[in-house]
Amino acid sequence: MFEKRTGEILTDLLIEWGVDHMYGMPGDSINELMSDLRKREEELPFYQVRHEEVGALSAASYAKLTGKAGVCLSIGGPGAVHLLNGLYDAKGDSVPVLAIVGQVPSESVGTGAFQEINLERMFDDVAVYNKRAQSAEQLPDLLNQALRAAYTHKGVSVLIIPDDLSAIKQKYDKKLTLPGYSKPDVFPAGSSLQKARKAIENANKPVILAGKGAAHAQDELIQFAETIKSPIILSLLAKGIIPDNHPYCLGQHGQIGTKPAYNAVKEADLLLLIGTSFPYRDFLPKDTQAIQIDREPSRIGNHYPVSIGLAGDSKDTLEWLINNLSENRNEEHLQKYQEQMKEWRVNMQLQKKDETNPIVGPQVMYALEKVIDKDAVISSDVGNVTVWMTRFLPLIHQKMIISGWLATMGCGLPGALAGQVAYPDKQVVAICGDGGFAMVMQDFVTAVKYKLPIKVIILNNSKIGMIQYEQEAMGHLHYKTELGEMNFAQFAESCGGEGYRVNRKEDLEDSFKKAFLSDKPAIIDVAIEDQAPLPGKIGYEQAVNYSEYLIKEFFEKGKIDPPPMKTGIKRLF
């Protein structure tokens, strides 16, 4: 067996693992490995981003969309620091990501060399696997371990490589590990299944709250709901796993959710948590009996005192329940909330079809609804835009991703980049606020450079709208939430893409049509009116605090700018 550069061996292993692309930036502590990656560019494309944070967020987004490990690469020191936000996003949403991070040469480690930082300590909290190679001979086995750990624990693996090690030649004939991951079958204990069956059959008002852990079990989820006559409520990360217009669907739950979902959960006598660790305790009932299905036993009961835990895959567990349950013949509870949801959808439709100016978020979602493909990939940013997307953009078979647990602003554009790389023949859309997009806007150039025809919708109110509303809802005057004006359409054109600036409602539809017919990356920059994203159900404390804000606003500025009062009153009762 002839000798190869260690970097060449690592490249071979990445391809053998099924890694088909990477995100990152080259630099002085990773250049030896970059030389080997360059030689295999056709098999392992390298997407050069303008900021390492975008590379890590894109890797996390790719993993969310495909289930395959996303891979990002950076130099040590400053580049490594930039990765952290995207890696914490991957950790929060439990997806496999490998970060290959350069380090100063081996003989300089620990000497305080230029750009040297303690990478192992820095990555310790975010990573399920975090190792620095001491020798070239270790590296192939460490890479196998890192990828296997990322898949096994659905988290971040960090492999730190002093740059000189990649240049060392070796035979790699003493293998300790091999590429590959064996996925285990997980199924609940029989006694727990029997307890769950009895509890479900005795329930009069069951409600299902499903998360992304049920994404591969759409048919079983619907059949289960039909069997027990339960409405289905979805977590934000699960939006789209069943069609939003499905008769059993009550939309999302929590601050961004619907009023029917809120009421159904509060009235339930049995809560079924399927593939979700829904963390918003204030939106769950105080002492309702609950069953939780999750393939990770450690998650069961983490955020709610469940009565019965079913540690197993949601698809297999639901199949067993469907085959062993007696069908519920009482549809009264289900029909009650189906009627409420019909009324909610009518109200949402009226808001979307409002023809008045200035433009508001729901109108933008209606314009997008008219041009979006049924199999499109949607990457939502975090903020007010999340509310408008969740409530007013009905999904059918589209894939939707967002930064869920970390909820980091700036995730929209990297998610779209990853979506177009993962699905080059599909329509890919990023829905962003101006605040979130501005954090990563430099990488719109990346879409232009690699001819990724993403469409970026920016709801531009020249402020951090969600934070302003949160300050007001706490009874405070808003402070430092103004961002100033920016014409993102002109920015798009300066990058080599297409840009459309929309200031009037009557120009919305035409701008969307032009942008979506183009084969270039495009930004549709929509100037929208500042509008509070009212929760689906307004609590008493929220109403009181908002009233305090209005009073302060009047005494300090002599004016009151209330939210839409009819909408607010409806959601209070």
Side-chain angles (χ1 to χ4, degrees):
M1 179 180 289
F2 61 91
E3 291 186 337
K4 287 185 176 182
R5 282 170 53 98
T6 300
E8 186 179 355
I9 295 170
L10 297 182
T11 304
D12 291 341
L13 283 174
L14 287 168
I15 294 170
E16 193 172 346
W17 269 94
V19 175
D20 54 16
H21 71 286
M22 304 170 70
Y23 306 94
M25 289 188 71
D28 61 355
S29 59
I30 205 74
N31 279 334
E32 289 290 357
L33 179 58
M34 287 297 298
S35 178
D36 295 296
L37 292 172
R38 175 183 58 81
K39 298 169 186 174
R40 304 293 292 276
E41 186 178 9
E42 292 297 319
E43 299 152 282
L44 187 56
F46 189 96
Y47 289 90
Q48 177 214 25
V49 294
R50 300 301 175 105
H51 194 292
E52 290 92 348
E53 177 184 7
V54 171
L57 284 168
S58 295
S61 297
Y62 178 80
K64 293 175 190 181
L65 286 166
T66 66
K68 296 174 62 178
V71 181
C72 55
L73 179 147
S74 82
I75 65 167
V81 174
H82 287 165
L83 291 176
L84 278 174
N85 195 39
L87 299 185
Y88 269 103
D89 177 56
K91 175 185 177 179
D93 289 347
S94 300
V95 291
V97 165
L98 171 66
I100 299 175
V101 183
Q103 181 56 292
V104 298
S106 302
E107 67 273 11
S108 299
V109 173
T111 67
F114 175 67
Q115 289 194 329
E116 183 192 6
I117 63 175
N118 191 331
L119 295 174
E120 297 97 303
R121 180 177 296 178
M122 185 181 76
F123 288 117
D124 187 59
D125 180 61
V126 75
V128 298
Y129 180 96
N130 177 22
K131 301 288 184 182
R132 172 171 61 87
Q134 304 284 348
S135 69
E137 289 75 18
Q138 291 177 309
L139 265 170
D141 293 321
L142 292 182
L143 178 62
N144 284 335
Q145 290 176 359
L147 277 164
R148 189 173 296 111
Y151 278 115
T152 300
H153 302 292
K154 293 184 172 59
V156 174
S157 284
V158 177
L159 181 57
I160 301 164
I161 306 176
D163 195 33
D164 57 300
L165 299 186
S166 293
I168 296 174
K169 290 187 176 183
Q170 59 172 300
K171 291 182 178 179
Y172 188 44
D173 55 353
K174 296 180 180 179
K175 300 179 181 180
L176 297 177
T177 63
L178 290 172
Y181 161 66
S182 299
K183 186 177 179 181
D185 288 328
V186 184
F187 195 73
S191 59
S192 297
L193 287 167
Q194 292 298 338
K195 289 178 183 177
R197 180 184 62 80
K198 291 177 182 179
I200 294 169
E201 290 180 343
N202 289 332
N204 295 312
K205 299 177 180 180
V207 171
I208 294 169
L209 177 54
K212 68 170 186 175
H216 65 303
Q218 300 99 321
D219 293 341
E220 291 78 11
L221 181 63
I222 292 171
Q223 190 176 351
F224 178 62
E226 292 171 343
T227 300
I228 69 172
K229 302 299 183 290
S230 168
I232 300 172
I233 299 166
L234 301 172
S235 69
L236 171 60
L237 297 184
K239 181 177 170 67
I241 69 170
I242 66 170
D244 280 321
N245 58 4
H246 191 280
Y248 277 70
C249 184
L250 299 186
Q252 274 61 55
H253 192 41
Q255 186 77 9
I256 61 166
T258 69
K259 185 177 177 181
Y262 180 92
N263 291 338
V265 167
K266 289 297 183 182
E267 190 184 348
D269 63 0
L270 177 65
L271 183 63
L272 295 131
L273 300 163
I274 304 175
T276 182
S277 295
F278 191 80
Y280 305 107
R281 188 65 177 82
D282 290 345
F283 287 89
L284 296 177
K286 291 183 179 179
D287 53 5
T288 297
Q289 186 180 24
I291 298 171
Q292 184 174 354
I293 301 173
D294 202 299
R295 67 178 294 113
E296 298 294 336
S298 62
R299 293 179 185 162
I300 294 177
N302 265 4
H303 298 283
Y304 193 77
V306 299
S307 312
I308 303 167
L310 300 178
D313 179 79
S314 58
K315 183 182 177 74
D316 297 336
T317 306
L318 289 176
E319 280 183 353
W320 188 94
L321 290 170
I322 291 165
N323 292 329
N324 288 274
L325 281 168
S326 300
E327 184 176 356
N328 184 2
R329 301 292 181 181
N330 183 4
E331 298 188 11
E332 182 179 350
H333 174 68
L334 172 65
Q335 290 175 349
K336 173 183 176 179
Y337 287 103
Q338 286 178 323
E339 289 302 314
Q340 287 189 19
M341 197 60 195
K342 286 179 183 178
E343 183 179 344
W344 175 272
R345 289 187 178 114
V346 169
N347 182 263
M348 295 297 103
Q349 199 71 4
L350 290 174
Q351 292 184 58
K352 285 158 59 174
K353 291 185 176 181
D354 186 3
E355 292 292 336
T356 60
N357 280 301
I359 302 169
V360 290
Q363 295 170 321
V364 182
M365 295 302 105
Y366 190 49
L368 177 57
E369 184 182 343
K370 293 178 180 179
V371 296
I372 200 164
D373 291 343
K374 290 182 179 180
D375 64 347
V377 176
I378 300 164
S379 176
S380 174
D381 218 309
V382 171
N384 281 358
V385 65
T386 312
V387 180
W388 307 136
M389 182 279 300
T390 304
R391 291 222 185 106
F392 294 96
L393 183 64
L395 301 187
I396 304 171
H397 299 295
Q398 296 93 344
K399 285 179 177 285
M400 191 279 295
I401 55 170
I402 192 170
S403 175
W405 203 268
L406 188 62
T408 181
M409 292 174 65
C411 64
L413 176 62
L417 295 174
Q420 199 70 80
V421 171
Y423 304 104
D425 298 325
K426 290 188 178 183
Q427 187 187 73
V428 178
V429 182
I431 308 174
C432 306
D434 52 319
F437 183 75
M439 291 184 172
V440 294
M441 60 189 286
Q442 75 285 332
D443 269 283
F444 184 75
V445 179
T446 303
V448 175
K449 177 180 179 178
Y450 293 104
K451 298 180 180 179
L452 304 173
I454 62 173
K455 312 305 174 193
V456 181
I457 318 301
I458 300 178
L459 281 70
N460 190 345
N461 60 2
S462 301
K463 64 183 63 178
I464 313 173
M466 176 64 80
I467 305 305
Q468 176 173 305
Y469 172 71
E470 287 175 352
Q471 290 177 354
E472 293 169 357
M474 294 174 70
H476 304 314
L477 293 174
H478 45 83
Y479 181 61
K480 297 298 181 182
T481 55
E482 300 290 336
L483 292 175
E485 294 187 6
M486 168 80 183
N487 189 321
F488 293 100
Q490 290 180 353
F491 165 76
E493 292 173 355
S494 71
C495 293
E498 293 186 3
Y500 301 86
R501 175 75 173 183
V502 184
N503 294 292
R504 303 182 306 162
K505 167 67 176 66
E506 47 268 34
D507 296 330
L508 259 180
E509 189 170 331
D510 186 55
S511 296
F512 270 77
K513 285 181 179 178
K514 289 179 180 177
F516 276 76
L517 285 172
S518 171
D519 59 358
K520 288 186 176 182
I523 291 176
I524 307 171
D525 181 20
V526 186
I528 64 167
E529 181 184 26
D530 183 36
Q531 185 183 56
L534 298 178
K537 175 74 175 181
I538 299 175
Y540 176 77
E541 186 177 352
Q542 287 175 305
V544 170
N545 287 340
Y546 200 86
S547 298
E548 289 179 4
Y549 155 74
L550 292 176
I551 293 169
K552 291 177 184 177
E553 179 84 352
F554 177 74
F555 281 114
E556 292 201 15
K557 299 183 180 179
K559 66 174 185 176
I560 292 180
D561 186 19
M565 294 310 295
K566 288 183 179 179
T567 303
I569 291 170
K570 281 183 179 180
R571 296 184 190 175
L572 185 59
F573 300 104

